[in-house]
């Protein structure tokens, strides 16, 4: 079974930092995209950042560029999202997902982890 286990959410003040991690296993993609989505209350889910396993290229939604950094450790099957300079509008449940293309080609999803940024 494909499993994606996200962790690292929590409560932080505006301007602070959090690091989300997602450990994944059980799929046989040779080359894949893995990334993070978020959904805030009353809003649609959006792709935050994704990274491709074969070359490490990353994509970011405009609202997090220069604040968030995604990285992948293929040996440990772990993808990490370092979130700096957090804003209240970053408050959401964050989900890890994997597929063939980010953000529209995700096939498997993990359970979310809540990030709350207080003002």
């Amino acid at each position: 079974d494909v499993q994606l286990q996200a962790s690292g959410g929590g409560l932080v003040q505006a301007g602070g930092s959090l690091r989300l991690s997602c450990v994944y296993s059980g799929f046989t993609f040779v080359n894949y995209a893995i990334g993070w989505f978020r959904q805030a209350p009353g809003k649609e889910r959006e792709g935050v950042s994704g990274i491709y396993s074969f070359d490490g290229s990353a994509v970011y939604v405009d609202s997090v560029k220069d604040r968030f950094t995604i990285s992948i450790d293929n040996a440990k099957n772990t993808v990490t999202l370092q979130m700096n300079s957090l804003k209240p509008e970053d408050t959401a449940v964050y989900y890890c997902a994997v597929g063939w293309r980010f953000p529209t080609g995700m096939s498997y999803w993990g359970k979310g982890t809540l990030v709350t940024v207080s003002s």
Side-chain angles (χ1 to χ4, degrees), residues 34-37 46-51 58-61 64 68-70 81 102:
I34 188 164
W36 294 91
F37 294 74
E46 69 169 345
V48 176
S49 180
I51 190 166
V59 294
Y60 299 90
V61 69
V64 308
F68 291 8
T69 302
I70 192 169
L81 186 68
F102 182 88

Side-chain angles (χ1 to χ4, degrees), residues 17-100:
S17 298
L18 282 174
R19 181 190 297 261
L20 303 183
S21 294
C22 176
V23 180
Y24 50 96
S25 64
F27 58 86
T28 58
F29 302 148
V30 175
N31 298 312
Y32 53 89
I34 188 164
W36 294 91
F37 294 74
R38 67 186 179 187
Q39 188 165 21
K43 295 188 177 180
E44 293 187 355
R45 185 174 62 196
E46 69 169 345
V48 176
S49 180
I51 190 166
Y52 288 85
S53 66
F54 62 93
D55 65 357
S57 58
V59 294
Y60 299 90
V61 69
D62 285 347
S63 60
V64 308
K65 285 180 180 177
D66 299 323
R67 298 190 298 123
F68 291 8
T69 302
I70 192 169
S71 59
I72 189 170
D73 186 333
N74 290 318
K76 296 182 179 180
N77 285 0
T78 301
V79 62
T80 300
L81 186 68
Q82 178 66 42
M83 306 186 295
N84 298 328
S85 302
L86 282 161
K87 303 176 180 180
E89 52 263 44
D90 295 317
T91 295
V93 177
Y94 284 70
Y95 300 88
C96 177
V98 66
W100 68 277

